[in-house]
Amino acid sequence: NRGETQYMFAAVLNGKVLNHYFTFGKPFGDHMVAGGSTEIRQHTGGNKAFEMMNLATFATPLNLDKTFSFGINFKYISVSSKTLSLFRANGWGADVGFLYKVPVLIKKLGKEIRIGLKVEDLSTSIQWDTGLKEKFPTLIRAGLGFVFNDSLQMAIDLESFQDKNLSASKGDKLHMGLEGYFFQRHLGLRMGYSGFSTITGRYSAGLSYESTSWDIHYAFLGHSENLGTSHRVSASFRFGKTIFKDPYSFIPQGVRIDQQGGQ
């Protein structure tokens, strides 16, 4: 939303498997964003397997009014491997999301309530070189957030998914979190809890520092998909000029604009 091209790189090491992530996003037009990401999974021991997934995305939000927004994301997926000749596939998919903002009536209690819904992989599938077509499981996530002020907010959401291809691959997750920014919003602190329908709940925490053109993030995750406890460090960089201009920059010097817009 700053009108800048953004890049992010992250790496996760779990045992003898090293995962690399690289993503970028570039806004264009008034409300559109195009981007891409690459995930590389490298096995440092054993058969030295090397797999790569490329993802190209296009997203556009639609603000119907000041309180309701709708967004859709189209994506192209490509999977390949240097060690397995048949490990190649590609396909298309889509995600959608909704966000509704409600101002808090009593200003002393908070600023805003946010209600969101995300449907990930609404219709996503890939075609393998062997001829097998695999459909991605659809993930539905609904949440509620409470914004105390511009620097403090909390949220809770419920995530549900089921893979029709694997009857055992299903379950629900409950997420709760608190996030705060300090020192003129440069320092960010986070803490959270995730409850699972299949395993014991886990705790998480995070620390970040954000500047004008770069960010650094650290996260401790008591769970991480199937990785178990993990530590994640990531950095992002932004390049370009802000596209938003001063709405009063065209006004000659000496002309005063009051709060009602009169001269």
Side-chain angles (χ1 to χ4, degrees), residues 10 14-15 50 81 96 100 181 186-187 200:
N14 181 60
F50 184 95
S81 173
V96 296
Y100 182 58
Y181 284 89
H186 288 300
L187 178 65
T200 305

Side-chain angles (χ1 to χ4, degrees), residues 17 19 28 45 52 56 63 71 87 100 106 116 138 144 168-169 174 213 225 229 231 249 260 263:
V17 180
N19 293 272
F28 62 97
M52 177 182 293
N63 298 317
F87 194 77
Y100 182 58
I106 304 177
T138 299
L144 177 68
S169 180
L174 176 67
S213 58
E225 294 86 24
T229 300
H231 302 268
S249 60
Q260 285 74 38
Q263 298 184 3

Side-chain angles (χ1 to χ4, degrees), residues 97-128:
F98 305 88
L99 179 63
Y100 182 58
K101 301 179 181 180
V102 184
V104 176
L105 298 179
I106 304 177
K107 298 299 181 180
K108 293 183 179 181
L109 298 180
K111 180 180 178 181
E112 187 177 73
I113 297 175
R114 299 175 180 176
I115 303 172
L117 174 66
K118 178 184 75 171
V119 182
E120 187 175 328
D121 291 318
L122 179 63
S123 179
T124 303
S125 62
I126 55 176
Q127 183 79 36
W128 294 91

Side-chain angles (χ1 to χ4, degrees), residues 5 15 22 57 92 97 99 101 109 121 131 142 162 175-176 179 191 209 215 221 247-248 257:
T5 300
F22 175 78
T57 64
W92 297 86
L99 179 63
K101 301 179 181 180
L109 298 180
D121 291 318
Q162 181 173 0
H175 304 91
M176 295 183 292
E179 180 181 56
M191 58 187 302
Y209 182 84
D215 307 333
L221 302 175
Y248 300 131
I257 302 297

Side-chain angles (χ1 to χ4, degrees), residues 109-183:
L109 298 180
K111 180 180 178 181
E112 187 177 73
I113 297 175
R114 299 175 180 176
I115 303 172
L117 174 66
K118 178 184 75 171
V119 182
E120 187 175 328
D121 291 318
L122 179 63
S123 179
T124 303
S125 62
I126 55 176
Q127 183 79 36
W128 294 91
D129 286 353
T130 58
L132 177 65
K133 186 175 183 180
E134 181 179 355
K135 181 176 176 59
F136 283 30
T138 299
L139 183 147
I140 301 175
R141 192 167 183 173
L144 177 68
F146 190 89
V147 181
F148 295 97
N149 51 53
D150 293 335
S151 300
L152 183 63
Q153 59 184 329
M154 64 176 298
I156 180 171
D157 66 70
L158 179 64
E159 174 185 309
S160 179
F161 75 96
Q162 181 173 0
D163 189 346
K164 295 182 180 180
N165 300 318
L166 300 172
S167 58
S169 180
K170 59 181 180 180
D172 301 316
K173 297 180 182 179
L174 176 67
H175 304 91
M176 295 183 292
L178 180 66
E179 180 181 56
Y181 284 89
F182 309 92
F183 302 107

Side-chain angles (χ1 to χ4, degrees), residues 12-15 17 19 21 41 222-230 232:
V12 179
L13 177 63
N14 181 60
V17 180
N19 293 272
Y21 303 90
R41 180 173 298 176
H223 65 89
S224 176
E225 294 86 24
N226 296 319
L227 296 180
T229 300
S230 65
R232 294 188 178 183

